[in-house]
Amino acid sequence: MVRVNLAIFVVCAMVVLNPVAHASIKEYLSFEQTVLKSPEQHLNLTNKWEHTGEPTGAELFLSALKARALFFAGHVERSKSEFSHYDAELKVQQFTWGAGYWYLYRSFFAIEEGHLDDAKRLVKQARRAFTHLKDSSMLVRVQAMEAVVAIWREEYSEALKSVQAAHAYIMRNDISDVSKLAVLDGLTAYYSTLKYHRKAIEFATQANSLAVQSQNILDGLPIKYNLCMALLRSKLVEKARACYQEMLSSAKQYKLPRYHFWANAGLGKVSLLLNEYENAVRYFEQAKKLEYIAIMNPAHLIVLRNNLAKALSAMAKYPQAQTHLQESLVILDNYQSPLNNRYMRRTLKIKSQVLELQKDYENSIDVLKRYIRLLEENELATKEVLEQEAQSFFEAEQHKLNLALTDEKLKAQAANLAELEKEEQLSRAYIFIAILSCLSIGLFAYLQRKASMVNRNFAYKDPLTELFNRRYFQEHIDKLSQKKQSYTLAMLDLDYFKRINDVSGHDVGDEILIRFSQHLKSHFRGDSDVVCRYGGEEFVVLCQFMDVTQLTQRLSLLQTVLKEQLFHESEAVTFSAGVASSAEHPKDKIIKVVDELMYRSKRLGRDKISS
């Protein structure tokens, strides 16, 4: 403690006594480590310096560090005030290290405020400052923050570029644990948002272990929150519950209302998944009591109210549920964000379901119509995101393989070429490089094949195509039948698929199935359409808000796309399909009906759709 107090005194005295003095970067980072390990002891870092004109880099660094500690402890308004102290007077041309640090963490605070345009502008200014100073370690943190900002703005290709560049750097260079944590946290956020939960858990676990090892309390709890969330999204319910309980214990230990909120909100989600509605309401209400103290991101406020409404409606407490949904809609009216459409749709969908349970069918239909309008507005963007998700995952896996191969290849080449040069036998170097290249290509092919067969191993997912499986389809159609909700069903079968397997082998057949699945999924909406692999080369598509004609048109469009983009030995891959509506056929017969219609399409010459 004596050493810590001495460090605080040295840095603060330097700022107070000499406003134009500049501490070294090493001193900045050393003091940052001290605050990260015990943020609750550094909520009152002195900033009573003699301030004249433009702030110094040391002032900005200390102010940002204090604001981070205050925000961590749940003192949101004090943190906002600390950052706001320099908002008006800090010039864009400020290129000190402290200014870069201030810009970087001010951008994080802007995300929490829901001001995503400001966040993007601020992180750009942080990049200018650290680029000017040629500080690679801090530029890695900037790249991680750029990825987080891009994720919130739904700019996933930009997020992937930033997080991949940062990951490549930390894999090849000795870098501080704080910067490593920033990158691992960015990777977790990216994969979790795009629903690659296994990857998200992998990076979140690495980050959590590193935070514990380095005794980083300030970054450690947000990382713990991301790990808990990844476990919950993966439906690893008991592990998620234990994770949130650990967070709750830490929040109590350090008296942190912000993490009291996250832990209670997370435990509420766990209880909701387990149909423990009374517990869910209790946890959500405890979180709600803390939100105005510690939370200001509109998205978090909306999600809490929507989850509370779900739990209350399950308990038949419809008026209370409607009250919370109305609060969500009020917040959404003032939430200018790329995410507005998504959260509005989720809120309207829940509201429509609650009205339906209240038997207020007229208002339920009105809300549902508004939901559908938003869905149609977002359809093109959704399609692009789905295509981007598949492409991003493939690029990420390829990046990882290329990185591993490149590192091993460079190390082996360097060691062997040095030996060959000493022996003046350069001819052996060319032979070695040729052999190593062949081995690298073989290893890359093996790893790529292995990566393509990775599956999430979840109960409702097909491991090859990552579509929902037959079990999920059966349970989903049962639920719709119980709720007496209508739908349109299509069954598809790839034409001449057995010939593809016989001629080219099952590897080529699997690749055709994967690529066909990606095309199929991209032509339907994730909110109300269900796409499943029914078995072998058979697939089913269930749509709640399309009639037979609309679904037939959508499948015809898919046939056209496949003829342009999916081939086997110069021949387009086609499919035959049958389409029927639950309004005309009961649940116990509709599957047989679409199956017979599909075989009628086969008999008519294939590449046909019968309804």
Side-chain angles (χ1 to χ4, degrees), residues 272-453:
L272 198 57
L273 279 175
L274 295 174
N275 300 328
E276 299 170 356
Y277 301 119
E278 290 186 1
N279 284 338
V281 170
R282 179 168 55 85
Y283 283 125
F284 289 141
E285 287 181 342
Q286 287 175 1
K288 201 166 187 287
K289 290 176 184 177
L290 296 163
E291 63 182 10
Y292 290 110
I293 302 172
I295 301 297
M296 59 182 175
N297 191 318
H300 303 324
L301 302 178
I302 293 163
V303 170
L304 176 63
R305 281 156 178 75
N306 288 356
N307 284 329
L308 191 48
K310 286 181 185 177
L312 288 166
S313 66
M315 298 167 66
K317 296 182 178 181
Y318 305 123
Q320 296 96 314
Q322 291 288 10
T323 298
H324 293 295
L325 290 169
Q326 189 58 40
E327 288 179 6
S328 288
L329 292 171
V330 170
I331 296 170
L332 277 160
D333 285 341
N334 300 304
Y335 186 30
Q336 301 302 317
S337 163
L339 300 172
N340 185 286
N341 184 293
R342 178 194 296 181
Y343 287 112
M344 180 66 80
R345 279 186 286 125
R346 290 177 180 175
T347 304
L348 292 175
K349 189 173 183 180
I350 298 168
K351 186 175 180 66
S352 174
Q353 291 168 347
V354 174
L355 288 167
E356 184 180 351
L357 290 170
Q358 288 181 278
K359 299 183 180 180
D360 186 352
Y361 300 117
E362 184 176 350
N363 284 324
S364 177
I365 291 170
D366 288 341
V367 173
L368 196 59
K369 286 178 180 177
R370 186 179 173 194
Y371 163 80
I372 293 170
R373 283 197 299 271
L374 287 172
L375 197 63
E376 293 295 340
E377 288 174 11
N378 196 55
E379 182 176 357
L380 181 59
T382 302
K383 178 182 174 183
E384 291 174 353
V385 168
L386 288 170
E387 291 173 349
Q388 196 175 72
E389 287 176 10
Q391 183 65 24
S392 296
F393 181 70
F394 175 76
E395 290 176 359
E397 290 299 309
Q398 199 133 11
H399 162 74
K400 184 177 178 181
L401 295 174
N402 285 333
L403 187 64
L405 288 170
T406 301
D407 283 348
E408 291 302 315
K409 185 175 179 179
L410 289 174
K411 289 176 184 177
Q413 285 179 346
N416 284 279
L417 284 173
E419 180 182 347
L420 291 171
E421 286 173 0
K422 291 178 183 178
E423 298 173 359
E424 296 182 351
Q425 296 177 352
L426 291 178
S427 59
R428 287 176 55 194
Y430 295 108
I431 296 172
F432 171 79
I433 292 170
I435 293 171
L436 186 60
S437 297
C438 293
L439 289 173
S440 297
I441 292 169
L443 178 60
F444 179 79
Y446 167 76
L447 292 175
Q448 191 174 42
R449 173 181 167 81
K450 184 177 178 182
S452 70
M453 298 177 70

Side-chain angles (χ1 to χ4, degrees), residues 108-299:
F108 169 78
F109 194 81
I111 294 173
E112 290 297 318
E113 292 178 301
H115 300 158
L116 301 184
D117 289 340
D118 286 344
K120 188 170 185 177
R121 173 182 58 81
L122 288 158
V123 80
K124 280 184 178 179
Q125 290 175 196
R127 171 175 283 280
R128 291 191 192 103
F130 290 122
T131 300
H132 176 76
L133 296 166
K134 299 179 181 179
D135 190 332
S136 299
S137 180
M138 292 304 294
L139 279 170
V140 166
R141 292 198 210 181
V142 170
Q143 288 171 323
M145 188 66 75
E146 286 172 336
V148 172
V149 173
I151 290 165
W152 274 95
R153 293 171 60 87
E154 295 191 319
E155 297 169 350
Y156 298 118
S157 60
E158 293 301 316
L160 179 63
K161 290 176 186 176
S162 296
V163 81
Q164 277 188 346
H167 191 215
Y169 188 86
I170 68 170
M171 291 286 285
R172 293 175 178 167
N173 296 276
D174 185 18
I175 197 167
S176 72
D177 288 346
V178 180
S179 295
K180 285 181 184 176
L181 280 172
V183 176
L184 293 172
D185 201 34
L187 287 161
T188 301
Y190 175 78
Y191 284 110
S192 183
T193 302
L194 292 186
K195 300 180 182 178
Y196 298 119
H197 302 309
R198 191 180 65 83
K199 299 287 290 182
I201 292 171
E202 176 188 332
F203 287 116
T205 302
Q206 288 181 35
N208 186 57
S209 298
L210 183 57
V212 171
Q213 177 186 331
S214 59
Q215 300 177 325
N216 186 337
I217 301 296
L218 193 148
D219 292 324
L221 270 178
I223 284 165
K224 186 75 170 181
Y225 161 72
N226 283 337
L227 174 59
C228 298
M229 185 168 58
L231 291 168
L232 184 63
R233 288 179 175 176
S234 299
K235 301 297 189 294
L236 300 174
V237 181
E238 291 306 321
K239 288 185 178 180
R241 190 204 296 269
C243 184
Y244 282 119
Q245 288 288 4
E246 289 176 10
M247 184 188 296
L248 187 60
S249 297
S250 296
K252 290 177 180 177
Q253 178 185 352
Y254 296 107
K255 299 179 181 178
L256 304 171
R258 182 172 173 78
Y259 295 94
H260 270 284
F261 173 91
W262 288 125
N264 282 311
L267 289 168
K269 291 178 186 177
V270 170
S271 298
L272 198 57
L273 279 175
L274 295 174
N275 300 328
E276 299 170 356
Y277 301 119
E278 290 186 1
N279 284 338
V281 170
R282 179 168 55 85
Y283 283 125
F284 289 141
E285 287 181 342
Q286 287 175 1
K288 201 166 187 287
K289 290 176 184 177
L290 296 163
E291 63 182 10
Y292 290 110
I293 302 172
I295 301 297
M296 59 182 175
N297 191 318

Side-chain angles (χ1 to χ4, degrees), residues 450-469:
K450 184 177 178 182
S452 70
M453 298 177 70
V454 172
N455 63 77
R456 299 179 210 178
N457 199 26
F458 296 144
Y460 294 122
K461 287 288 185 176
D462 173 59
L464 178 65
T465 63
E466 295 193 353
L467 297 179
F468 289 117
N469 59 18

